[in-house]
Amino acid sequence: MTTPQLDGTTHDIAPGTGLPTRALDRVGARFENALRAGARVVTLAAPWVPDVATFWPAEGDALVFGDRDLDCAGVGIARRAAATDAATMLTGLEPKVAFDDVDAPPLSAFGGFAFDAEDATDPRWASFGPGEMVVPRWTYGATRADAWIRFVTVEPLSNAEAESARLELEAAWARLLSAPARSGSAVLVTDIGQPPAEEWARHIREITEAIERGEAGKVVAARRVDVRLSGTLDPRVVLRRLRVRFPNCVRFAFRKGEATFLGATPEHLISKVGTTLRTEALAGSAPAGDGQSLLTSEKDQHEHRLVVDAIRTALEPHATLEMEAKPSLRELPNVVHLHTAIRGTLHDATHVLELVRALHPTPAVGGVPKQVAADWIATRERARYGARGWYAAPFGAFDEHGDGRFVVALRSGLLTGDSASAWAGCGIVGASEPEREYEESALKFRAFLGALEPAR
């Protein structure tokens, strides 16, 4: 195949054979010399590969975030910060160097939040904490046609450290040119453990009774299933399946030690570029192919309006908003949702993290009133199904200008070796029926659970 190189030229390379020695020596020398001269951020043109998770090594901190327009994978950590204190973490990383007229986006930090800060005390989520944003030591990014690699160091490197970084570059490049990881590609699900449906029915009835008493307008109920696998499953394999099965969703992953939180979500929380923001309301669900029932369902339309109204209330102090008068349908391979697109113009230079804090949790994952629903989830749901952790919470990236994009981490799970846990939720209003909500959550589970096994 013909593969673009760091220096902008092309060479015929068979997959897995590595770079021609002269090209690798030339580009590696330029990279090393830039680091020796004090550069702390170096961006290089790179080979394009269809799945950015190929950039991951078998072990170590790593992440993925993006879609077909811009997909990124990060390896290692140059700088980290608590998600609530991360707004200024990209400052002070000059000077920068870009080789070969690289058309790469600005330097970015990636990461996520816990749904509730208290979720971090759950042993299952202990390594993830209440939220974390990181600047990867290495980031690989790919658009539909081009790709780049970025290296970041907080402090200038010594000559020996610069030489070591050059070896890291060569190893990263070799991974891109090798075949995708297949570890655990034949692994199968051997058991799915979950509380009985009767317990879910009691949970839903308690919520609808509280709504009838006027204590809440909506509460999102989520349940967990625990999966046993026939062997150790590589998260890179799961990410590749998610990319194939859900090409119009946003993939995300965060690997900490032996555990990886990952998924493919249909729901955008917020994006901001300059003074323009975009968000959406995504609430009301039905099986794929049954979208017309949502357009006439009073229950689903009511649930959707609650989300639209809450987003408007959260964002109007920051921006002038425009939104569709009526919801449309968002079709996915396994489910269809009611969808309302929302656009806004910010009143001032607001950091995207401030907008994330204003929105989370939206009624699509929390409820109305916000605090009443949050208290219900933190007490009654947690007692039955455990902490949500990073499920249904913001996950995304922001750049040095305060622009960025965050999604809601749905259709997701926590993978650790030969076991996994997954979560799925439903918006409960007064007219909700336990059996229908159980079926809806089962539909949503299929997105993540289906990626744990080879396609049938």
Side-chain angles (χ1 to χ4, degrees):
M1 67 179 179
T2 299
T3 305
Q5 303 302 308
L6 288 171
D7 58 358
T9 63
T10 60
H11 300 276
D12 290 329
I13 301 175
T17 61
L19 283 172
T21 302
R22 287 183 300 171
L24 181 59
D25 287 346
R26 180 169 62 253
V27 174
R30 293 172 66 195
F31 172 72
E32 184 178 338
N33 289 338
L35 295 179
R36 288 177 182 235
R40 284 180 282 170
V41 181
V42 181
T43 307
L44 314 154
W48 185 92
V49 297
D51 184 6
V52 299
T54 304
F55 190 65
W56 282 19
E59 299 177 344
D61 291 336
L63 60 90
V64 161
F65 180 67
D67 55 24
R68 292 182 297 178
D69 293 326
L70 176 60
D71 210 4
C72 294
V75 172
I77 296 175
R79 176 175 283 178
R80 75 172 83 224
T84 53
D85 303 317
T88 60
M89 69 182 297
L90 294 173
T91 60
L93 289 174
E94 298 282 358
K96 303 176 183 179
V97 177
F99 291 151
D100 304 321
D101 299 319
V102 179
D103 184 19
L107 178 67
S108 294
F110 303 83
F113 294 69
F115 185 86
D116 182 320
E118 291 299 316
D119 288 353
T121 62
D122 187 298
R124 191 185 307 267
W125 293 99
S127 64
F128 289 83
E132 181 175 87
M133 301 297 297
V134 303
V135 179
R137 179 174 175 87
W138 293 96
T139 304
Y140 174 76
T143 65
R144 291 175 184 260
D146 299 307
W148 45 270
I149 290 177
R150 176 173 286 143
F151 173 82
V152 178
T153 176
V154 174
E155 301 293 337
L157 301 184
S158 67
N159 288 349
E161 291 169 330
E163 183 178 355
S164 178
R166 175 177 173 174
L167 296 177
E168 292 177 30
L169 171 64
E170 294 173 2
W173 202 269
R175 290 196 299 273
L176 290 174
L177 295 176
S178 64
R182 298 187 178 278
S183 176
S185 58
V187 169
L188 300 176
V189 172
T190 59
D191 182 65
I192 299 179
Q194 56 187 316
E198 292 78 9
E199 182 173 313
W200 171 262
R202 286 194 297 272
H203 189 57
I204 302 308
R205 282 195 295 269
E206 288 174 7
I207 296 174
T208 57
E209 289 167 2
I211 292 172
E212 289 171 1
R213 294 193 298 268
E215 297 172 9
K218 173 186 177 180
V219 177
V220 175
R223 62 187 181 98
R224 187 188 84 237
V225 299
D226 296 318
V227 180
R228 298 299 302 178
L229 303 165
S230 62
T232 298
L233 183 56
D234 193 320
R236 294 172 292 184
V237 173
V238 181
L239 283 166
R240 186 162 62 250
R241 292 170 182 164
L242 289 170
R243 177 181 60 83
V244 171
R245 297 178 185 187
F246 301 96
N248 295 320
C249 290
V250 175
R251 290 188 310 162
F252 55 91
F254 207 80
R255 186 170 68 185
K256 298 271 289 183
E258 300 298 317
T260 305
F261 175 61
L262 69 169
T265 181
E267 186 165 345
H268 297 263
L269 180 64
I270 190 77
S271 66
K272 171 192 173 286
V273 179
T275 59
T276 299
L277 69 82
R278 295 182 186 275
T279 184
E280 63 182 1
L282 198 70
S285 307
D290 196 21
Q292 288 303 310
S293 67
L294 293 177
L295 298 176
T296 57
S297 167
E298 183 176 343
K299 177 261 182 188
D300 289 292
Q301 292 283 337
H302 171 62
E303 179 187 344
H304 188 81
R305 283 194 299 272
L306 290 175
V307 177
V308 172
D309 291 344
I311 292 175
R312 181 188 293 113
T313 300
L315 292 181
E316 278 187 337
H318 302 278
T320 301
L321 302 178
E322 303 172 7
M323 62 184 67
E324 299 168 333
K326 294 181 179 180
S328 57
L329 296 176
R330 174 82 184 278
E331 297 274 0
L332 296 167
N334 62 325
V335 69
V336 58
H337 299 286
L338 289 174
H339 174 266
T340 296
I342 301 170
R343 187 178 186 275
T345 302
L346 290 163
H347 302 321
D348 49 37
T350 305
H351 198 288
V352 68
L353 287 177
E354 185 174 348
L355 302 176
V356 168
R357 284 190 285 269
L359 284 169
H360 177 72
T362 72
V365 294
V368 178
K370 178 184 285 191
Q371 192 56 53
V372 171
D375 291 343
W376 187 284
I377 293 166
T379 54
R380 304 203 187 195
E381 179 183 295
R382 187 179 292 164
R384 281 192 167 112
Y385 300 107
R388 293 187 179 187
W390 284 27
Y391 162 74
F395 192 104
F398 68 86
D399 65 24
E400 53 200 318
H401 308 298
D403 294 341
R405 177 190 190 191
F406 281 78
V407 297
V408 183
L410 303 173
R411 313 300 191 268
S412 56
L414 188 64
L415 178 64
T416 307
D418 63 354
S419 64
S421 296
W423 288 258
C426 305
I428 308 304
V429 294
S432 295
E433 300 173 357
E435 295 80 7
R436 179 185 171 187
E437 303 302 335
Y438 192 87
E439 292 171 359
E440 179 182 320
S441 64
L443 279 174
K444 293 174 178 177
F445 273 127
R446 291 180 188 175
F448 180 77
L449 297 183
L452 297 181
E453 294 187 299
R456 297 179 180 178

